[in-house]
Amino acid sequence: MLSVLRVHLPSDIPIVGCELTPYVLLRRPDKTVTTDDVPESAPLDGHFLRYKWCRIQSDKKVAVCSVHPSEQATLQCLGCVKAKIPVAKSYHCSPKCFSDAWQHHRVLHDRAASAVNENGNEEEEIFGRYNSSGSGVINASLTGSASSTSLTNGSTPLYPAAVTQRSGGETWFEVGRSKTYTPTADDIGHVLKFECVIVDAETKQPVGHPNTILTSRVIPAPSPSPRHLIPVSGADMLGNLQSDGRVSSSGSFTVLSYNILSDSYASSELYSYCPSWALSWPYRRQNLLREIVGYRADIVCLQEVQNDHFEEFFAPELDKHGYQALYKRKTNEVYSGNIHTIDGCATFFRRDRFSHVKKYEVEFNKAAQSLTEVAVQTTQKKAALNRLVKDNVALIVVLEAKFSNQGADNPGKRQLLCVANTHVNVPQELKDVKIWQVHTLLKGLEKIAASADIPMLVCGDFNSVPGSAPHSLLAMGKVDPMHADLLVDPLAILRPHSKLTHQLPLVSAYSSFLRGVGLGLEQQRRRMDPTTNEPLFTNCTRDFIGTLDYILYTADSLTVESLLELLDEDSLRKDTALPSPEWSSDHIALLAEFRCVPRPRR
């Protein structure tokens, strides 16, 4: 007969908005063990599984800390209450917690005061309402009356809530009848109970005792402070935001580049400082999605997107928000794991702003094969391939804008745009391979540029710090022949050094913070390195802090209008690193707003 061997939850803390999927291990009648579901529609040997979720509400009301949401709050900031900041952000678990967070916390007070003066709305900024479901008044969500409505959680149809009164001042509200359940704001501060029982398909009666597990208290999803678009062109673009958060100027568009940290790399050993619940994929994927959607970019370039996560999550979820998806999985000559969990580059664009014209897939492994065929001696070919083949790829897409700013001089002219998205994750000691990959990509882009009059964007994680040879090649168009990085070249693939050039007029978008004339740039300039014209960091772990990510553009055809503000170490709080409960990648997102400009006549 069918029997349940084990039931447990993969995440130790339930979070609002993050789906809970229990692990249910079954023994089939033939004695085999499986985790496959046995629904009522497909019983096994006359039996199926029935599930139920309940919320256990106590007369005792519990608030959770806004900084450490797994801890119960012991004090409240009255300044937040007076400023009408969402009450959930006013709670702290200890005086030390409040003191440590004060520098970051006081920003909420300042922004609330200034926002109320402007429009009476404390956080409706370019980032949007990042966490409206989980940042309401906690005490309001602890009342039983809020839970008497009909339920739609999971895949089950509407049904009335079932209530079971228990002794000791506890009430159990039935909140779901699916295997999965997504906690809501009503669940904050409460324990959930999952119940799984074997049912006779004929009598519909339970067989044996139910298997139950209790969660810890549900916590609200931590919400980072919103990041603003900062104008650099001198125009006050923040005053021209549409209701959906995008800049109203029809001729401009925004581009996001973000390494989202593949789940296969997000190990607890590597990121031991991040709470396990915040490192779990069910939590991170929802947090990342909220962040990405909140930026409302017209073009989104993501790196480290697992193949299965692209197909099962990002493509369908971003489709709901009007994005078309393109993807290039890394090759797998080196990779030896599950093909579904290998990562790659994903590019999304808004269908109402762009249409897809062409897609190019760059496989550096193929380029390595071609190189060794013509440039490496036969006796060295195997060693050369071992060094050069690293599975990295680039995804290049050509889009046509559905808007125009060409003016009367060029009525009806097609506005094309070429967007390259790559992740050059070559080990640091293989400097020659990293430079070669970047050079190979740029030469491919040069060919596209030669065939069409087209603005270009190059986005990605290049795993190269400002001033390195790959960065110099990208941003300066050449590499100093005496650069230290060129000393590592055992295959002589970088020689002559004079060939390490390209003719694309690429400029790093974020260098505009140092050249711009807009308001509020002084704070951003303090977060920039004046010697390299790049941010002080785009990657921040406990072991490394520095810039690895870039958005570059062809300066003869595009101009930067505004940039997403940079984070500083205070924003990340002094006692942490990335990823964290607030930010679900070890990288930060970069976003730039561009406008096409007429090319100079030749």
Side-chain angles (χ1 to χ4, degrees):
M1 184 180 127
L2 189 68
S3 60
V4 178
L5 298 178
R6 186 185 179 200
V7 178
H8 80 95
L9 285 168
S11 180
D12 51 349
I13 296 180
I15 305 107
V16 168
C18 296
E19 185 179 83
L20 292 170
T21 304
Y23 176 89
V24 180
L25 187 65
L26 303 172
R27 176 176 283 128
R28 294 171 174 269
D30 61 3
K31 305 303 182 185
T32 59
V33 175
T34 182
T35 57
D36 293 341
D37 195 13
V38 183
E40 184 175 1
S41 58
L44 187 62
D45 196 29
H47 297 85
F48 64 92
L49 291 177
R50 179 185 292 162
Y51 307 106
K52 183 167 70 174
W53 287 90
C54 292
R55 175 173 66 242
I56 303 176
Q57 292 194 184
S58 170
D59 291 342
K60 181 181 178 182
K61 298 175 181 178
V62 177
V64 295
C65 176
S66 61
V67 180
H68 307 100
S70 59
E71 302 295 327
Q72 187 171 329
T74 61
L75 58 91
Q76 183 177 25
C77 172
L78 295 180
C80 286
V81 178
K82 292 178 181 178
K84 297 183 178 179
I85 292 169
V87 173
K89 297 183 179 182
S90 69
Y91 293 120
H92 296 268
C93 55
S94 68
K96 183 179 185 304
C97 166
F98 182 64
S99 175
D100 290 347
W102 174 245
Q103 191 167 2
H104 171 77
H105 183 82
R106 68 185 297 178
V107 175
L108 297 178
H109 294 199
D110 296 339
R111 286 180 174 170
S114 61
V116 167
N117 288 337
E118 292 173 12
N119 55 20
N121 198 337
E122 67 271 9
E123 284 190 2
E124 196 70 56
E125 294 148 335
I126 186 62
F127 199 89
R129 277 209 177 272
Y130 187 84
N131 189 26
S132 59
S133 64
S135 59
V137 179
I138 285 186
N139 287 350
S141 70
L142 297 180
T143 60
S145 60
S147 305
S148 60
T149 56
S150 295
L151 304 172
T152 57
N153 214 300
S155 58
T156 55
L158 291 169
Y159 62 92
V163 181
T164 305
Q165 186 70 38
R166 296 197 68 204
S167 59
E170 285 186 344
T171 306
W172 290 7
F173 287 91
E174 186 179 314
V175 293
R177 293 181 183 174
S178 303
K179 183 178 182 180
T180 61
Y181 177 70
T182 302
T184 68
D186 288 339
D187 299 320
I188 294 174
H190 301 300
V191 171
L192 299 174
K193 184 180 81 166
F194 171 71
E195 181 178 290
C196 169
V197 65
I198 295 171
V199 177
D200 187 293
E202 185 175 339
T203 66
K204 302 295 192 274
Q205 295 300 310
V207 177
H209 296 289
N211 291 265
T212 62
I213 48 175
L214 297 178
T215 71
S216 54
R217 295 186 187 275
V218 176
I219 64 171
S223 56
S225 297
R227 295 172 66 188
H228 306 79
L229 272 177
I230 307 295
V232 297
S233 63
D236 184 13
M237 300 306 292
L238 284 178
N240 298 315
L241 295 180
Q242 294 179 346
S243 59
D244 69 353
R246 284 186 289 128
V247 178
S248 60
S249 175
S250 61
S252 64
F253 61 94
T254 51
V255 179
L256 175 76
S257 183
Y258 196 7
N259 180 327
I260 62 170
L261 179 59
S262 168
D263 185 44
S264 58
Y265 305 145
S267 67
S268 55
E269 292 78 21
L270 195 59
Y271 303 106
S272 58
Y273 49 84
C274 184
S276 59
W277 59 266
L279 199 58
S280 70
W281 181 242
Y283 173 74
R284 288 204 308 117
R285 72 176 186 177
Q286 293 295 340
N287 209 27
L288 288 165
L289 181 66
R290 274 197 299 266
E291 182 184 359
I292 292 164
V293 169
Y295 293 130
R296 298 183 175 92
D298 296 306
I299 302 170
V300 176
C301 296
L302 303 182
Q303 302 88 43
E304 287 196 25
V305 181
Q306 277 188 200
N307 187 46
D308 55 342
H309 294 164
F310 172 80
E311 294 177 353
E312 298 169 9
F313 184 72
F314 286 109
E317 288 297 325
L318 286 171
D319 176 71
K320 298 174 185 175
H321 294 273
Y323 289 95
Q324 184 171 330
L326 297 167
Y327 183 70
K328 175 56 182 172
R329 190 185 68 196
K330 288 198 312 190
T331 44
N332 61 326
E333 279 87 344
V334 178
Y335 183 76
S336 58
N338 186 328
I339 194 68
H340 298 294
T341 61
I342 193 170
D343 64 287
C345 298
T347 299
F348 305 84
F349 60 89
R350 285 186 177 274
R351 297 187 194 89
D352 63 339
R353 301 279 283 164
F354 292 95
S355 58
H356 176 222
V357 176
K358 198 162 187 179
K359 171 184 176 183
Y360 301 90
E361 296 183 348
V362 179
E363 295 184 358
F364 294 111
N365 284 3
K366 285 185 178 179
Q369 292 277 1
S370 300
L371 177 67
T372 53
E373 286 296 322
V374 298
V376 178
Q377 296 179 9
T378 304
T379 55
Q380 291 183 303
K381 287 190 189 301
K382 185 175 181 180
L385 287 174
N386 284 340
R387 186 174 184 86
L388 292 172
V389 170
K390 293 292 174 279
D391 288 344
N392 301 142
V393 297
L395 173 62
I396 303 172
V397 299
V398 176
L399 305 174
E400 180 178 355
K402 294 184 178 180
F403 54 89
S404 174
N405 62 350
Q406 296 293 329
D409 294 339
N410 296 291
K413 181 182 177 182
R414 296 176 73 194
Q415 180 60 69
L416 299 178
L417 181 68
C418 179
V419 183
N421 179 10
T422 191
H423 183 201
V424 182
N425 57 337
V426 176
Q428 294 299 328
E429 64 271 16
L430 301 180
K431 298 182 187 298
D432 54 323
V433 181
K434 194 173 295 189
I435 300 167
W436 170 76
Q437 286 193 3
V438 172
H439 186 247
T440 300
L441 173 62
L442 290 168
K443 287 301 173 183
L445 292 173
E446 273 189 327
K447 292 179 181 178
I448 297 173
S451 65
D453 182 19
I454 182 169
M456 290 198 164
L457 291 163
V458 183
C459 304
D461 173 7
F462 292 86
N463 273 292
S464 301
V465 297
S468 64
H471 175 261
S472 296
L473 185 58
L474 283 162
M476 307 299 292
K478 61 183 179 179
V479 181
D480 186 333
M482 303 303 293
H483 198 294
D485 285 359
L486 300 183
L487 296 175
V488 179
D489 188 17
L491 301 173
I493 58 173
L494 305 179
R495 298 171 196 163
H497 296 158
S498 58
K499 76 175 182 180
L500 296 177
T501 63
H502 67 87
Q503 301 305 311
L504 301 172
L506 291 177
V507 175
S508 178
Y510 270 78
S511 66
S512 297
F513 268 148
L514 294 172
R515 301 190 309 270
V517 295
L519 297 173
L521 290 181
E522 194 55 43
Q523 184 184 50
Q524 298 307 308
R525 286 172 179 148
R526 290 195 293 269
R527 300 171 186 179
M528 299 283 292
D529 182 347
T531 61
T532 63
N533 289 354
E534 296 291 359
L536 290 174
F537 70 90
T538 64
N539 179 256
C540 178
T541 67
R542 188 152 291 176
D543 301 320
F544 174 82
I545 183 165
T547 293
L548 303 174
D549 309 83
Y550 307 95
I551 298 177
L552 300 111
Y553 67 100
T554 45
D556 65 339
S557 55
L558 294 168
T559 184
V560 178
E561 297 278 283
S562 56
L563 295 164
L564 186 67
E565 68 178 320
L566 295 166
L567 296 180
D568 61 5
E569 291 184 68
D570 289 334
S571 297
L572 298 175
R573 301 197 183 103
K574 294 178 180 178
D575 61 344
T576 192
L578 300 178
S580 68
E582 291 80 13
W583 306 100
S584 286
S585 175
D586 54 348
H587 293 250
I588 64 169
L590 300 179
L591 184 146
E593 180 197 0
F594 294 98
R595 179 184 296 277
C596 295
V597 296
R599 289 181 184 267
R601 296 184 182 276
R602 295 176 180 174

PDB file of all heavy atoms in Angstrom, residues 380-399:
ATOM      1  N   GLN A 380      50.833  21.115 -29.745  1.00  0.00           N
ATOM      2  CA  GLN A 380      50.304  21.923 -28.645  1.00  0.00           C
ATOM      3  C   GLN A 380      48.776  22.048 -28.675  1.00  0.00           C
ATOM      4  O   GLN A 380      48.194  22.670 -27.789  1.00  0.00           O
ATOM      5  CB  GLN A 380      50.892  23.345 -28.694  1.00  0.00           C
ATOM      6  CG  GLN A 380      52.373  23.418 -28.359  1.00  0.00           C
ATOM      7  CD  GLN A 380      52.855  24.858 -28.362  1.00  0.00           C
ATOM      8  OE1 GLN A 380      52.734  25.563 -29.358  1.00  0.00           O
ATOM      9  NE2 GLN A 380      53.385  25.299 -27.232  1.00  0.00           N
ATOM     10  N   LYS A 381      48.141  21.466 -29.678  1.00  0.00           N
ATOM     11  CA  LYS A 381      46.701  21.685 -29.865  1.00  0.00           C
ATOM     12  C   LYS A 381      45.878  21.247 -28.655  1.00  0.00           C
ATOM     13  O   LYS A 381      44.974  21.949 -28.212  1.00  0.00           O
ATOM     14  CB  LYS A 381      46.209  20.970 -31.130  1.00  0.00           C
ATOM     15  CG  LYS A 381      46.659  21.640 -32.427  1.00  0.00           C
ATOM     16  CD  LYS A 381      45.948  21.040 -33.625  1.00  0.00           C
ATOM     17  CE  LYS A 381      46.552  21.537 -34.930  1.00  0.00           C
ATOM     18  NZ  LYS A 381      46.485  22.992 -35.066  1.00  0.00           N
ATOM     19  N   LYS A 382      46.180  20.069 -28.122  1.00  0.00           N
ATOM     20  CA  LYS A 382      45.396  19.573 -26.991  1.00  0.00           C
ATOM     21  C   LYS A 382      45.556  20.479 -25.777  1.00  0.00           C
ATOM     22  O   LYS A 382      44.572  20.836 -25.111  1.00  0.00           O
ATOM     23  CB  LYS A 382      45.812  18.142 -26.653  1.00  0.00           C
ATOM     24  CG  LYS A 382      44.957  17.514 -25.566  1.00  0.00           C
ATOM     25  CD  LYS A 382      45.319  16.049 -25.347  1.00  0.00           C
ATOM     26  CE  LYS A 382      44.435  15.424 -24.267  1.00  0.00           C
ATOM     27  NZ  LYS A 382      44.778  13.994 -24.030  1.00  0.00           N
ATOM     28  N   ALA A 383      46.799  20.846 -25.488  1.00  0.00           N
ATOM     29  CA  ALA A 383      47.048  21.728 -24.343  1.00  0.00           C
ATOM     30  C   ALA A 383      46.394  23.091 -24.565  1.00  0.00           C
ATOM     31  O   ALA A 383      45.847  23.703 -23.623  1.00  0.00           O
ATOM     32  CB  ALA A 383      48.553  21.896 -24.123  1.00  0.00           C
ATOM     33  N   ALA A 384      46.427  23.560 -25.816  1.00  0.00           N
ATOM     34  CA  ALA A 384      45.823  24.855 -26.123  1.00  0.00           C
ATOM     35  C   ALA A 384      44.316  24.822 -25.901  1.00  0.00           C
ATOM     36  O   ALA A 384      43.735  25.749 -25.317  1.00  0.00           O
ATOM     37  CB  ALA A 384      46.139  25.243 -27.564  1.00  0.00           C
ATOM     38  N   LEU A 385      43.665  23.752 -26.368  1.00  0.00           N
ATOM     39  CA  LEU A 385      42.219  23.643 -26.179  1.00  0.00           C
ATOM     40  C   LEU A 385      41.857  23.527 -24.705  1.00  0.00           C
ATOM     41  O   LEU A 385      40.853  24.094 -24.252  1.00  0.00           O
ATOM     42  CB  LEU A 385      41.674  22.444 -26.963  1.00  0.00           C
ATOM     43  CG  LEU A 385      41.622  22.625 -28.484  1.00  0.00           C
ATOM     44  CD1 LEU A 385      41.215  21.324 -29.163  1.00  0.00           C
ATOM     45  CD2 LEU A 385      40.648  23.742 -28.863  1.00  0.00           C
ATOM     46  N   ASN A 386      42.655  22.802 -23.957  1.00  0.00           N
ATOM     47  CA  ASN A 386      42.403  22.686 -22.514  1.00  0.00           C
ATOM     48  C   ASN A 386      42.431  24.054 -21.845  1.00  0.00           C
ATOM     49  O   ASN A 386      41.699  24.310 -20.887  1.00  0.00           O
ATOM     50  CB  ASN A 386      43.433  21.769 -21.857  1.00  0.00           C
ATOM     51  CG  ASN A 386      43.165  20.306 -22.137  1.00  0.00           C
ATOM     52  OD1 ASN A 386      42.047  19.932 -22.491  1.00  0.00           O
ATOM     53  ND2 ASN A 386      44.194  19.470 -22.007  1.00  0.00           N
ATOM     54  N   ARG A 387      43.285  24.931 -22.362  1.00  0.00           N
ATOM     55  CA  ARG A 387      43.406  26.261 -21.769  1.00  0.00           C
ATOM     56  C   ARG A 387      42.295  27.202 -22.254  1.00  0.00           C
ATOM     57  O   ARG A 387      41.748  27.996 -21.485  1.00  0.00           O
ATOM     58  CB  ARG A 387      44.770  26.861 -22.106  1.00  0.00           C
ATOM     59  CG  ARG A 387      45.061  28.198 -21.411  1.00  0.00           C
ATOM     60  CD  ARG A 387      46.482  28.677 -21.665  1.00  0.00           C
ATOM     61  NE  ARG A 387      46.774  29.893 -20.921  1.00  0.00           N
ATOM     62  CZ  ARG A 387      47.202  29.924 -19.657  1.00  0.00           C
ATOM     63  NH1 ARG A 387      47.407  28.783 -19.013  1.00  0.00           N
ATOM     64  NH2 ARG A 387      47.436  31.074 -19.049  1.00  0.00           N
ATOM     65  N   LEU A 388      41.952  27.102 -23.529  1.00  0.00           N
ATOM     66  CA  LEU A 388      41.029  28.064 -24.138  1.00  0.00           C
ATOM     67  C   LEU A 388      39.549  27.713 -23.969  1.00  0.00           C
ATOM     68  O   LEU A 388      38.697  28.597 -23.926  1.00  0.00           O
ATOM     69  CB  LEU A 388      41.336  28.192 -25.638  1.00  0.00           C
ATOM     70  CG  LEU A 388      42.662  28.842 -26.010  1.00  0.00           C
ATOM     71  CD1 LEU A 388      42.896  28.723 -27.507  1.00  0.00           C
ATOM     72  CD2 LEU A 388      42.677  30.306 -25.589  1.00  0.00           C
ATOM     73  N   VAL A 389      39.236  26.428 -23.916  1.00  0.00           N
ATOM     74  CA  VAL A 389      37.831  26.000 -23.875  1.00  0.00           C
ATOM     75  C   VAL A 389      37.276  26.157 -22.459  1.00  0.00           C
ATOM     76  O   VAL A 389      37.665  25.438 -21.545  1.00  0.00           O
ATOM     77  CB  VAL A 389      37.698  24.542 -24.367  1.00  0.00           C
ATOM     78  CG1 VAL A 389      36.296  24.011 -24.097  1.00  0.00           C
ATOM     79  CG2 VAL A 389      38.017  24.459 -25.850  1.00  0.00           C
ATOM     80  N   LYS A 390      36.366  27.124 -22.286  1.00  0.00           N
ATOM     81  CA  LYS A 390      35.818  27.425 -20.957  1.00  0.00           C
ATOM     82  C   LYS A 390      34.296  27.515 -20.959  1.00  0.00           C
ATOM     83  O   LYS A 390      33.695  27.948 -19.972  1.00  0.00           O
ATOM     84  CB  LYS A 390      36.418  28.737 -20.429  1.00  0.00           C
ATOM     85  CG  LYS A 390      37.908  28.641 -20.121  1.00  0.00           C
ATOM     86  CD  LYS A 390      38.161  27.736 -18.925  1.00  0.00           C
ATOM     87  CE  LYS A 390      39.648  27.500 -18.678  1.00  0.00           C
ATOM     88  NZ  LYS A 390      40.222  26.463 -19.554  1.00  0.00           N
ATOM     89  N   ASP A 391      33.645  27.181 -22.096  1.00  0.00           N
ATOM     90  CA  ASP A 391      32.176  27.125 -22.194  1.00  0.00           C
ATOM     91  C   ASP A 391      31.485  28.485 -22.232  1.00  0.00           C
ATOM     92  O   ASP A 391      30.255  28.551 -22.287  1.00  0.00           O
ATOM     93  CB  ASP A 391      31.554  26.311 -21.040  1.00  0.00           C
ATOM     94  CG  ASP A 391      31.817  24.822 -21.175  1.00  0.00           C
ATOM     95  OD1 ASP A 391      32.190  24.393 -22.274  1.00  0.00           O
ATOM     96  OD2 ASP A 391      31.654  24.099 -20.179  1.00  0.00           O
ATOM     97  N   ASN A 392      32.237  29.592 -22.202  1.00  0.00           N
ATOM     98  CA  ASN A 392      31.599  30.914 -22.171  1.00  0.00           C
ATOM     99  C   ASN A 392      30.923  31.240 -23.502  1.00  0.00           C
ATOM    100  O   ASN A 392      31.336  30.769 -24.559  1.00  0.00           O
ATOM    101  CB  ASN A 392      32.623  31.995 -21.843  1.00  0.00           C
ATOM    102  CG  ASN A 392      33.307  31.769 -20.502  1.00  0.00           C
ATOM    103  OD1 ASN A 392      34.490  32.024 -20.357  1.00  0.00           O
ATOM    104  ND2 ASN A 392      32.568  31.259 -19.525  1.00  0.00           N
ATOM    105  N   VAL A 393      29.901  32.072 -23.421  1.00  0.00           N
ATOM    106  CA  VAL A 393      29.127  32.449 -24.608  1.00  0.00           C
ATOM    107  C   VAL A 393      28.771  33.927 -24.542  1.00  0.00           C
ATOM    108  O   VAL A 393      28.938  34.584 -23.503  1.00  0.00           O
ATOM    109  CB  VAL A 393      27.823  31.623 -24.719  1.00  0.00           C
ATOM    110  CG1 VAL A 393      28.114  30.144 -24.897  1.00  0.00           C
ATOM    111  CG2 VAL A 393      26.921  31.864 -23.499  1.00  0.00           C
ATOM    112  N   ALA A 394      28.289  34.420 -25.645  1.00  0.00           N
ATOM    113  CA  ALA A 394      27.689  35.758 -25.698  1.00  0.00           C
ATOM    114  C   ALA A 394      26.429  35.663 -26.547  1.00  0.00           C
ATOM    115  O   ALA A 394      26.360  34.872 -27.495  1.00  0.00           O
ATOM    116  CB  ALA A 394      28.662  36.774 -26.284  1.00  0.00           C
ATOM    117  N   LEU A 395      25.446  36.447 -26.199  1.00  0.00           N
ATOM    118  CA  LEU A 395      24.192  36.519 -26.945  1.00  0.00           C
ATOM    119  C   LEU A 395      24.072  37.936 -27.517  1.00  0.00           C
ATOM    120  O   LEU A 395      24.095  38.917 -26.766  1.00  0.00           O
ATOM    121  CB  LEU A 395      23.012  36.220 -26.024  1.00  0.00           C
ATOM    122  CG  LEU A 395      21.605  36.405 -26.592  1.00  0.00           C
ATOM    123  CD1 LEU A 395      21.364  35.481 -27.767  1.00  0.00           C
ATOM    124  CD2 LEU A 395      20.557  36.175 -25.500  1.00  0.00           C
ATOM    125  N   ILE A 396      24.001  38.040 -28.826  1.00  0.00           N
ATOM    126  CA  ILE A 396      23.886  39.338 -29.495  1.00  0.00           C
ATOM    127  C   ILE A 396      22.531  39.391 -30.197  1.00  0.00           C
ATOM    128  O   ILE A 396      22.194  38.487 -30.965  1.00  0.00           O
ATOM    129  CB  ILE A 396      25.012  39.540 -30.525  1.00  0.00           C
ATOM    130  CG1 ILE A 396      26.385  39.411 -29.851  1.00  0.00           C
ATOM    131  CG2 ILE A 396      24.889  40.906 -31.193  1.00  0.00           C
ATOM    132  CD1 ILE A 396      27.546  39.411 -30.833  1.00  0.00           C
ATOM    133  N   VAL A 397      21.759  40.416 -29.913  1.00  0.00           N
ATOM    134  CA  VAL A 397      20.450  40.552 -30.551  1.00  0.00           C
ATOM    135  C   VAL A 397      20.351  41.912 -31.238  1.00  0.00           C
ATOM    136  O   VAL A 397      20.858  42.914 -30.732  1.00  0.00           O
ATOM    137  CB  VAL A 397      19.283  40.380 -29.550  1.00  0.00           C
ATOM    138  CG1 VAL A 397      19.312  39.001 -28.927  1.00  0.00           C
ATOM    139  CG2 VAL A 397      19.327  41.438 -28.464  1.00  0.00           C
ATOM    140  N   VAL A 398      19.733  41.926 -32.387  1.00  0.00           N
ATOM    141  CA  VAL A 398      19.434  43.164 -33.095  1.00  0.00           C
ATOM    142  C   VAL A 398      17.942  43.414 -32.950  1.00  0.00           C
ATOM    143  O   VAL A 398      17.119  42.549 -33.272  1.00  0.00           O
ATOM    144  CB  VAL A 398      19.834  43.079 -34.579  1.00  0.00           C
ATOM    145  CG1 VAL A 398      19.422  44.361 -35.315  1.00  0.00           C
ATOM    146  CG2 VAL A 398      21.333  42.848 -34.721  1.00  0.00           C
ATOM    147  N   LEU A 399      17.597  44.602 -32.447  1.00  0.00           N
ATOM    148  CA  LEU A 399      16.212  44.983 -32.217  1.00  0.00           C
ATOM    149  C   LEU A 399      15.861  46.187 -33.074  1.00  0.00           C
ATOM    150  O   LEU A 399      16.731  46.978 -33.447  1.00  0.00           O
ATOM    151  CB  LEU A 399      15.999  45.335 -30.738  1.00  0.00           C
ATOM    152  CG  LEU A 399      16.394  44.278 -29.698  1.00  0.00           C
ATOM    153  CD1 LEU A 399      16.250  44.846 -28.293  1.00  0.00           C
ATOM    154  CD2 LEU A 399      15.556  43.025 -29.864  1.00  0.00           C
TER     155      LEU A 399
END
